[in-house]
Amino acid sequence: MINISELNNFPTEDGATLALLKEVAQKYCPEELQAERQAILPDESLNLSELEAGFKQLLAGGNGYGELPYIGDTDVQTSSLPKDNGFGIGIPETQKLRDLHYEEVDTLNSDQIKSDFPVLHQKVNGHDLVWLDNGATTQKPNQVIDKISDYYRTYNSNIHRGAHTLAARATDAYEEAREKVQRFINAATSEEIIFVRGTTEGINLVAQTYGRQFLTPGDEVIVSELDHHANIVPWQRVCQEKGATLRAIPTDQNGDLILSEFERLITPRTRFVSVGHVNNTFGTINDVKRIIEIAHAHQIPVLIDGAQSIAHTPVDVQALGTDFFVFSGHKIYGPNGIGVVYGRKELLDKMQPWQGGGNMIKDVTIERTEYNEPPARFEAGTPNVADAIGLGAALDYVSHLGIRNIEHHEHQLTEYAREQLSQISGLTLLGNPKNRVSVVSFVLDGIPVPEVGTLLDKEGIAVRAGHHCAQPALRALGYEMSVRPTFALYNTREDVDKLVIAVKKIIGR
């Protein structure tokens, strides 16, 4: 291996130096790109003065040779960044240090995938849109949009009760979507799948059915400090109503749950555990399988909030052994206003309905009502047929690409983003959990979080800037707010590069 720092001491007209420099050019370029390298640094006519100056500029942290061909993963190739308003000046470490650190080939062609998402092909404030607010909601591919449009254009109807062709087609499509959900999360039967408006409604459904039915004064429910407000407030309310106590698993300074404390929280009065699979602020993947095992050893049922995990990592509810699992369609490239509650059938059979109305009944008289079997018992009124069908199309889309491939791609982007952002003076990354998905959270010295979000928007970059409906999680690490870029299957390294350059621009303004 050649010590490149020794080049500072070499004379530029020495024949031995010419041979050495040729060896450097050859040694640091992959064999398959030698032809391209020769076009930039030909062996026959090396300009030693320019080459030495370039090496010295590289050693000083600059880009000594302009823009070189990208030699990283073939499926994540980056194009030139726009060169307007000070942007596109290049980040040397992006295509040099990063390529040396990661050798695995990305399994997704995100540039090709991005063509499926029409909303991404627009300019915001004069810049190409960079959507890094995926933790709040993901964009929708044409395959989902077209499926919803087809429903409204060709077979819009209410379901289950109609005796005509369109009702039959709509019913079949709605129930087929339920079966797609069942297969995607590996539920035992489609009867364990309830359609709701989203994760929030799903947790409220379980709290207002199972919780109200089985909690008594003095009982306890356990959540965690890493949970979204949607998994805290519903249980807080039902505990107040029933005279029960809400407890929380604490968090360490890395953003990981302290599971030893969880075991100490369990008492003979613990009746339910409800925790998030993935934290939306630090990206922590909680060891929910272990949490479920501990709870079940005490005969305590468990709900897992899968809003932030469903699009990023495989979910198998039977392998996890969970009693309930909830998620939202809009987090996994599906429509807003549709979500899922999975519940083990033996538990659903025992639970009373939350809302009353049509379709959730078998028979009604003025004196009494006989309820339907699950899942119909929990789907009162006209359901969101179109968006259930759209969710089915989204799950088809993700299944076609492969959730493991998506997980791998997003992991690379996340670690890349953390590496690049950590090199910026005045930027603090929040949390460093052992296992994480595609979330990065940071603050800038002396610049309010909302202002950072506004300034990034001026550069066409959409991020979340606030408390992310996760105030206990942020406060556990001593913060009130953060800037939160989150990544999805259509994001690329170029998106990360634009974010990094924009943050540097904000700090240096």
Side-chain angles (χ1 to χ4, degrees), residues 36-305:
E36 288 84 349
R37 189 271 304 166
Q38 286 246 19
I40 299 167
L41 298 175
D43 289 340
E44 297 77 18
S45 57
L46 287 176
N47 186 317
L48 298 184
S49 297
E50 290 182 7
L51 189 56
E52 182 186 27
F55 272 118
K56 288 181 177 179
Q57 191 174 344
L58 279 174
L59 291 170
N63 184 356
Y65 301 101
E67 194 162 285
L68 298 178
Y70 182 75
I71 60 173
D73 300 342
T74 57
D75 287 341
V76 199
Q77 294 194 10
T78 57
S79 58
S80 298
L81 299 179
K83 301 195 178 347
D84 58 319
N85 299 324
F87 267 67
I89 57 175
I91 309 175
E93 62 268 24
T94 292
Q95 295 178 0
K96 296 179 177 63
L97 298 182
R98 177 62 179 183
D99 291 340
L100 295 177
H101 294 172
Y102 294 89
E103 297 177 354
E104 293 176 304
V105 175
D106 199 326
T107 52
L108 297 182
N109 187 334
S110 293
D111 289 329
Q112 181 177 330
I113 289 169
K114 191 174 286 190
S115 67
D116 289 334
F117 292 81
V119 74
L120 299 178
H121 303 284
Q122 62 176 295
K123 290 187 180 295
V124 172
N125 295 319
H127 300 273
D128 291 337
L129 171 63
V130 177
W131 185 258
L132 299 179
D133 196 16
N134 298 287
T137 196
T138 54
Q139 299 301 339
K140 321 308 172 193
N142 286 316
Q143 291 84 340
V144 170
I145 297 169
D146 292 345
K147 200 75 171 179
I148 297 171
S149 177
D150 181 55
Y151 165 77
Y152 281 122
R153 289 179 183 277
T154 63
Y155 60 104
N156 173 46
S157 173
N158 213 324
I159 62 172
H160 293 142
R161 297 180 292 277
H164 51 79
T165 298
L166 266 61
R169 289 176 60 192
T171 299
D172 288 347
Y174 183 79
E175 293 303 330
E176 182 183 4
R178 195 190 307 276
E179 292 170 0
K180 289 178 180 180
V181 174
Q182 174 207 342
R183 291 192 295 271
F184 192 82
I185 64 174
N186 193 32
T189 169
S190 63
E191 295 174 353
E192 297 179 321
I193 305 301
I194 302 165
F195 283 125
V196 290
R197 288 184 301 162
T199 302
T200 299
E201 183 171 88
I203 297 172
N204 275 275
L205 185 153
V206 177
Q208 293 297 319
T209 53
Y210 190 96
R212 292 180 73 185
Q213 188 173 342
F214 295 107
L215 288 178
T216 60
D219 286 344
E220 298 169 355
V221 174
I222 296 176
V223 293
S224 89
E225 287 185 341
L226 288 182
D227 288 336
H228 191 280
H229 296 168
N231 192 51
I232 296 174
V233 178
W235 293 109
Q236 195 176 73
R237 295 185 68 210
V238 76
C239 283
Q240 291 169 352
E241 176 187 337
K242 304 299 290 187
T245 300
L246 188 67
R247 303 190 181 280
I249 308 169
T251 307
D252 66 21
Q253 287 302 297
N254 288 321
D256 284 310
L257 290 180
I258 307 173
L259 292 189
S260 60
E261 292 298 319
F262 169 53
E263 296 193 63
R264 282 193 276 270
L265 284 174
I266 295 176
T267 75
R269 297 307 300 269
T270 305
R271 295 289 180 263
F272 202 89
V273 173
S274 186
V275 296
H277 193 174
V278 166
N279 168 261
N280 76 335
T281 304
F282 316 125
T284 312
I285 304 175
N286 293 320
D287 190 352
V288 293
K289 186 171 178 59
R290 179 62 183 147
I291 290 171
I292 293 165
E293 290 171 349
I294 293 170
H296 282 182
H298 298 270
Q299 291 76 52
I300 302 168
V302 180
L303 179 148
I304 299 300
D305 170 1

Side-chain angles (χ1 to χ4, degrees), residues 108 116 143 184 393-403 405-406:
L108 297 182
D116 289 334
Q143 291 84 340
F184 192 82
L395 299 183
D396 286 343
Y397 185 85
V398 169
S399 297
H400 174 71
L401 294 175
I403 191 68
N405 295 333
I406 294 168

Side-chain angles (χ1 to χ4, degrees), residues 20 89 175 198 204 245 342 373 382 437 448:
L20 178 61
I89 57 175
E175 293 303 330
N204 275 275
T245 300
Y342 156 81
E373 299 298 318
T382 299
V437 298

